[in-house]
Amino acid sequence: MLNPHNGMKPTLLMEQYKQNFTKSEQKIYHYIKEHIQEVLYHSLTELSEASEVAEATVLRFFRKLGFKGFQDFKFLLAQEVSVISTDDHENTYMEKIKNNILHAVEDSYEIIDEETLQKSVDAINSSEDVVVFGVGSSGIAALDMQTRLMRIGKHIHVTIDPHFMAMRASSMNENTVVIAISLTGGTKDIVDTVSIAKERGATVIALTNYVKSPLTKYADYVLLTSAKENPLDSGSLVSKVTQLFLIDLICTGVTINNYKNSEKVRMEITKNIAKKLY
């Protein structure tokens, strides 16, 4: 099937199609036109609620325009509205990156819900079957979490392959704790796997940027980071840093709950790794 948009600017494409929009699609059209910058940072669920239409209607709207989905649309929209200037307030790109990272961590700190964080730590601490799911750059964060917890003697299993995730989720039960890492909360492989985990009775902790997304519908606990991206910034270091900040908080909380055993395991690991150094 050919894409009707064929690289055309999304705003022009919507104008061409607007006479054929249903009443619900008209709501989506008007919301996007009036909130172009905000839409770049919306999840599918947030756009659905802001437009006051169902998520399925939103998806049909973008497919009518020839897009695979919301992310496909946002990517072209970001290119259209982006005003990338080399003459920025910061003196150098190094200063800009430093400031972005500092602000992202500070903002993430401000939105942390301590009660939810503690409940997440308690769930991880009390479970002998902890599984972390993440794909792409979120998979890198998941592997870092595994390393952190392994160093204090907490055994967790990380799965970053979509097929293995589905198989692993199928064997879960009410004693399993799932940590699902997804910046957008809309990664299909993660959402599909977590839905299986919930059917099996698992407890789900979501690490994401969006309080409302397909992923958070299945989450028992939602831990938020602040570094929302538009599609042109996808995979940036800033987002990874906020994920690692949240993971550090969780791992530190688990360590505090198991301080004596954690110190013993750390000493053993240090002693054994030291043998591998010259």
Side-chain angles (χ1 to χ4, degrees):
M1 177 180 174
L2 294 175
N3 282 342
H5 68 73
N6 197 29
M8 184 183 295
K9 290 180 179 180
T11 55
L12 294 179
L13 192 64
M14 288 193 300
E15 292 299 324
Q16 285 190 340
Y17 274 76
K18 69 179 182 181
Q19 300 302 326
N20 297 319
F21 290 158
T22 64
K23 287 184 178 180
S24 293
E25 289 168 347
Q26 286 286 347
K27 288 183 178 181
I28 303 168
Y29 162 75
H30 286 297
Y31 180 82
I32 293 173
K33 288 284 287 182
E34 293 167 12
H35 304 87
I36 285 182
Q37 291 290 345
E38 293 94 324
V39 167
L40 293 176
Y41 298 92
H42 276 349
S43 68
L44 175 65
T45 306
E46 287 174 335
L47 178 58
S48 166
E49 292 192 356
S51 305
E52 299 180 342
V53 299
E55 287 183 23
T57 304
V58 176
L59 284 173
R60 281 196 300 271
F61 173 81
F62 293 121
R63 286 169 183 161
K64 178 181 282 189
L65 296 175
F67 296 97
K68 295 177 182 176
F70 185 34
Q71 293 299 319
D72 189 23
F73 172 83
K74 281 206 298 185
F75 181 74
L76 276 186
L77 184 64
Q79 292 182 58
E80 180 180 348
V81 304
S82 179
V83 183
I84 302 172
S85 173
T86 55
D87 182 23
D88 211 345
H89 293 299
E90 288 87 0
N91 293 325
T92 67
Y93 69 87
M94 292 189 297
E95 186 176 351
K96 180 180 178 63
I97 292 172
K98 180 201 72 172
N99 289 339
N100 285 346
I101 290 174
L102 290 176
H103 291 152
V105 172
E106 287 172 357
D107 291 345
S108 293
Y109 174 80
E110 292 295 329
I111 63 175
I112 290 292
D113 185 304
E114 290 188 44
E115 183 179 354
T116 303
L117 174 62
Q118 189 57 53
K119 286 181 178 178
S120 299
V121 167
D122 291 342
I124 294 167
N125 188 54
S126 62
S127 176
E128 295 299 321
D129 184 25
V130 181
V131 184
V132 188
F133 292 140
V135 296
S137 60
S138 294
I140 297 171
L143 290 169
D144 181 78
M145 189 174 202
Q146 181 183 44
T147 302
R148 287 290 312 280
L149 291 177
M150 191 182 296
R151 284 180 175 274
I152 63 171
K154 184 68 182 179
H155 299 289
I156 68 170
H157 183 253
V158 171
T159 306
I160 58 177
D161 180 276
H163 294 281
F164 288 161
M165 286 194 298
M167 287 190 284
R168 184 65 181 84
S170 300
S171 64
M172 292 176 177
N173 57 41
E174 64 277 2
N175 298 315
T176 305
V177 171
V178 173
I179 303 167
I181 307 176
S182 172
L183 283 172
T184 64
T187 305
K188 192 173 188 302
D189 290 323
I190 296 291
V191 176
D192 290 348
T193 303
V194 167
S195 70
I196 297 171
K198 283 304 295 180
E199 287 177 5
R200 302 291 299 170
T203 297
V204 176
I205 301 168
L207 275 59
T208 182
N209 275 342
Y210 296 93
V211 69
K212 293 180 179 179
S213 69
L215 173 61
T216 57
K217 291 177 183 176
Y218 298 104
D220 297 284
Y221 306 113
V222 177
L223 294 171
L224 297 173
T225 55
S226 70
K228 290 188 176 182
E229 303 174 324
N230 77 44
L232 297 183
D233 297 326
S234 182
S236 73
L237 177 62
V238 174
S239 295
K240 291 186 182 71
V241 168
T242 58
Q243 283 182 324
L244 295 177
F245 170 67
L246 198 52
I247 286 170
D248 203 348
L249 293 178
I250 294 170
C251 294
T252 301
V254 175
T255 302
I256 291 170
N257 283 359
N258 300 273
Y259 183 74
K260 287 186 178 180
N261 186 59
S262 298
E263 285 302 300
K264 181 181 177 182
V265 173
R266 276 178 173 170
M267 290 299 294
E268 287 296 319
I269 290 174
T270 301
K271 182 173 68 176
N272 291 325
I273 289 179
K275 297 175 184 177
K276 300 183 180 296
L277 302 174
Y278 285 106

